[in-house]
C-alpha cells in the first residue's frame, strides 16, 4: 500500500548513476532543478531554461571591450585566418554579435535561423527580439582551433555621444546571458584608451558573479615605451578596482595580439611570456569544461532556491481579498527586509541573493496572485541533488579526466610557438646551448675549476659538505639548492667531480638569472665524460 515511501527513501540514499558528466548534468537539471524553476517563475526573473545544447556545447570564449580595442583582430590572430563577416577598423566596425564556430564549409548563419537550431546553444536568445537577432550571426569555418572552442565577438562598447544612441535591445542583458554560459570572458583594453565609458561600466557590473571567468588583456602595448606602460598598467588596475568590487585582482595580460611587427620591441620578452600564459589559460578550457558546467549548475541551483524563498514569502504576505495593490507596493519597497529575514531563517549567505534593485523592478511588473506558496518537497529535491548527486558527478569528472586523452586547443597561433627555435624560452636558461656542438658549461668552466680546487678535492671529487659551503653563497633557498644538487650529482655518489661542480654552478647561474630549473637534466647539459655512461 505504501510502497512508494520505500522507493522514495531508497532514492534519497542512493545517488543517481550516470554514464557521462554531461548526461548527468542534463538529467539532474531536468528532473530535479527545472521543476523548482518552473513552479516559482525563475525564468521570468533570471535566466531562461537550459537546453540539451547547453550541456553538450564546446567551451566558449566571450570577447568584450570598447570599439577599436582589437577584439576582432584578436580572433584573427588566434585562428591565423579570416572568418566570414569579419570587419576591422578604427571606428565601431563590428556592429553584430558574431559566434565564430567550427564548420566543414565557410558560411554565415543569420540570427533568426540560429535560434531555431536545436544543436546550437542559442535558442533562448529569441527572447531578445528581432532588434537583437538582426545583429546576431554565426560565422562557420574549418579551423583546427574551433574544433575545441568557440569564440563570441561582440559589438564595440560605445563612449561619449555614441553611447546615447539606443541599440534597440538590452545590450547588457545579452552579455549577461552569454556570461552565464561561456567558459572565459576576456575584457580587452587599448593601451591608449583606458577611459571606461558609462556603457562599459554597466556591462562590467552586469558580469558580476562571473569574476572567476574574467581575464583582462591590455592590448596594443607595443605602441608605448616601458615607463609609460607601467603608468598605463597602474591606471588600468585603478579603474578596474572601482568597478569590479572584489578584493582579488583580475589577471591582466599585457601584449600586442596581431601579426604585425612590434612598434617598440623593448618589452618583447614580457609580451611573449604574457602571451604564453594567456594561451595556456585558453588551452585548458576543454579540459575544465565539465567542471565549469557543474559549477554553473550549482550556482544556478543556489539562486533558484533563494528565488523560491523570496516568491513564497511574498505570496504568504499578500492579503486574500482587499488591498492587494497597496500591499504589493509595500512588499516591493521592503524587499530588503524580506531578504534579511530569509537570510536569518534559512542560513543563506548574502552573496546568494539576486540584485535588490533589479529584483524590485522585475516584481513591479508581476501579478503576485500567480505566485506559489512554499513547497518543501521541491526544495528538498534540490538539496538532495546538491548534497549527494553533485558529489557523485564530481567523482565522474575526475574519472573522465583520467580516462580521456588530454584535451587542449590546437592549431592557429597555438601551434606557432610550441616547437622549434621560436618556442617560448627556447635557447634561454636551462635551454641555453641546446644547439651548440660544445658543452655550454665549458665556457665558464675555468672559473668554476679555480673554486673547485680551493675546496680540497679528494681523488678528484669534493664532498657534499664542502660543496654546500660554496653553493649557499648564492643565497638561494635550500629547496632550490637541493634540486640543483640532484641534477648535478649525475652518478649519485654524494660527491661532485669538477664537471659536476661546474654544472651545479651553471644551474645556480640559470636560477639567479630568473629562469626555472628543469625537472630532469636536458641531454645538452650532461658533461661530455658522462654522456656514454648515462646512455
Amino acid at each position: 500500500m505504501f510502497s512508494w515511501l520505500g522507493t522514495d527513501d531508497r532514492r534519497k540514499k542512493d545517488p543517481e548513476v550516470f554514464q557521462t558528466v554531461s548526461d548527468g548534468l542534463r538529467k539532474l537539471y531536468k528532473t530535479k532543478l527545472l521543476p523548482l524553476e518552473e513552479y516559482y517563475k525563475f525564468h521570468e526573473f533570471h535566466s531562461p531554461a537550459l537546453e540539451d545544447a547547453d550541456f553538450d556545447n564546446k567551451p566558449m570564449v566571450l570577447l568584450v571591450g570598447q570599439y577599436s580595442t582589437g577584439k576582432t583582430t584578436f580572433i584573427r590572430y588566434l585562428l591565423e585566418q579570416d572568418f566570414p563577416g569579419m570587419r576591422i577598423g578604427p571606428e565601431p566596425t563590428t556592429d553584430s554579435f558574431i559566434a565564430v564556430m567550427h564548420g566543414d564549409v565557410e558560411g554565415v548563419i543569420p540570427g533568426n535561423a540560429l535560434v531555431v537550431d536545436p544543436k546550437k546553444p542559442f535558442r533562448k536568445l529569441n527572447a531578445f527580439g528581432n532588434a537583437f537577432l538582426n545583429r546576431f550571426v554565426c560565422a562557420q569555418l574549418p579551423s583546427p582551433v574551433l574544433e575545441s572552442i568557440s569564440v563570441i565577438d561582440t559589438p564595440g562598447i560605445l563612449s561619449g555621444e555614441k553611447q546615447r544612441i539606443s541599440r534597440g535591445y538590452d545590450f547588457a542583458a545579452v552579455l549577461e546571458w552569454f556570461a552565464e554560459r561561456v567558459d572565459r570572458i576576456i575584457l580587452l583594453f587599448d593601451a591608449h584608451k583606458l577611459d571606461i565609458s558609462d556603457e562599459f561600466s554597466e556591462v562590467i557590473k552586469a558580469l558580476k558573479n562571473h569574476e572567476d571567468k574574467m581575464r583582462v588583456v591590455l592590448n596594443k602595448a607595443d605602441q608605448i615605451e616601458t615607463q609609460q606602460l607601467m603608468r598605463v598598467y597602474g591606471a588600468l588596475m585603478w579603474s578596474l578596482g572601482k568597478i569590479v568590487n572584489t578584493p582579488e585582482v583580475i589577471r591582466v595580460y599585457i601584449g600586442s595580439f596581431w601579426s604585425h611587427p612590434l612598434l617598440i620591441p623593448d618589452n618583447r620578452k614580457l609580451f611573449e611570456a604574457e602571451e604564453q600564459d594567456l594561451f595556456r589559460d585558453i588551452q585548458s578550457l576543454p579540459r575544465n569544461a565539465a567542471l565549469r558546467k557543474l559549477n554553473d549548475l550549482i550556482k544556478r541551483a543556489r539562486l533558484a532556491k533563494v528565488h523560491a524563498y523570496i516568491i513564497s514569502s511574498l505570496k504568504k504576505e499578500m492579503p486574500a481579498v482587499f488591498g492587494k495593490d497597496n500591499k504589493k507596493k509595500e512588499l516591493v519597497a521592503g524587499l530588503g527586509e524580506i531578504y534579511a529575514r530569509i537570510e536569518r531563517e534559512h542560513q543563506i549567505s548574502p552573496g546568494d541573493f539576486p540584485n535588490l534593485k533589479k529584483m524590485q523592478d522585475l516584481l513591479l511588473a508581476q501579478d503576485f496572485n500567480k505566485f506559489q506558496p512554499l513547497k518543501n518537497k521541491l526544495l528538498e529535491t534540490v538539496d538532495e541533488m546538491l548534497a549527494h548527486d553533485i558529489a557523485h558527478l564530481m567523482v565522474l569528472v575526475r574519472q573522465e579526466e583520467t580516462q580521456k586523452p588530454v584535451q587542449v586547443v590546437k592549431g592557429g597561433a597555438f601551434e606557432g610557438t610550441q616547437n622549434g627555435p621560436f618556442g617560448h624560452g627556447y635557447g634561454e636558461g636551462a635551454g641555453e646551448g641546446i644547439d651548440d656542438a660544445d658543452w655550454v658549461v665549458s665556457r665558464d668552466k675555468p672559473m668554476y675549476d679555480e673554486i673547485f680546487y680551493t675546496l680540497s678535492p679528494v681523488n678528484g671529487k669534493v664532498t657534499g659538505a664542502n660543496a654546500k659551503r660554496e653553493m649557499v653563497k648564492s643565497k638561494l633557498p635550500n629547496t632550490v639548492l637541493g634540486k640543483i644538487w640532484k641534477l648535478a650529482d649525475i652518478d649519485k655518489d654524494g660527491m661532485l667531480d669538477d664537471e659536476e661542480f661546474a654544472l651545479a654552478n651553471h644551474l645556480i647561474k640559470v636560477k639567479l638569472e630568473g629562469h626555472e630549473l628543469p625537472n630532469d637534466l636536458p641531454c645538452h647539459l650532461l658533461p661530455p665524460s658522462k654522456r656514454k655512461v648515462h646512455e
Side-chain angles (χ1 to χ4, degrees), residues 238-289:
W238 182 79
S239 300
L240 286 171
K242 291 198 299 179
I243 298 170
V244 183
N245 297 316
T246 57
E248 301 87 8
V249 178
I250 296 178
R251 175 68 164 98
V252 176
Y253 300 92
I254 303 170
S256 181
F257 296 92
W258 66 344
S259 53
H260 293 256
L262 299 176
L263 292 179
I264 301 172
D266 299 3
N267 298 306
R268 184 186 186 105
K269 281 195 175 181
L270 170 67
F271 298 159
E272 287 174 358
E274 292 283 281
E275 181 183 276
Q276 288 304 309
D277 285 353
L278 178 58
F279 281 5
R280 272 194 292 270
D281 186 61
I282 295 172
Q283 283 181 303
S284 71
L285 295 180
R287 191 169 62 249
N288 301 323

Side-chain angles (χ1 to χ4, degrees), residues 302-321:
R302 290 166 71 94
L303 179 60
K305 274 182 63 182
V306 171
H307 179 77
Y309 286 129
I310 294 168
I311 297 300
S312 58
S313 294
L314 293 170
K315 175 70 175 176
K316 190 178 176 183
E317 297 288 334
M318 285 295 286
V321 184

Side-chain angles (χ1 to χ4, degrees), residues 94-113:
T94 303
D95 61 347
S96 303
F97 280 80
I98 304 177
V100 186
M101 307 181 83
H102 186 269
D104 294 330
V105 181
E106 271 197 30
V108 173
I109 305 171
N112 282 291

Side-chain angles (χ1 to χ4, degrees), residues 35-62:
L36 179 76
E37 291 183 356
E38 289 174 338
Y39 193 69
Y40 291 107
K41 298 176 174 288
F42 179 87
H43 309 134
E44 293 180 27
F45 288 85
H46 304 289
S47 175
L50 299 178
E51 299 206 328
D52 288 351
D54 291 310
F55 299 104
D56 298 325
N57 67 313
K58 295 170 188 169
M60 293 194 288
V61 178
L62 177 69

Side-chain angles (χ1 to χ4, degrees), residues 323-331:
K324 290 184 177 181
D325 287 344
N326 289 334
K327 186 63 177 176
K328 175 182 172 179
K329 290 174 185 173
E330 182 189 320
L331 287 170

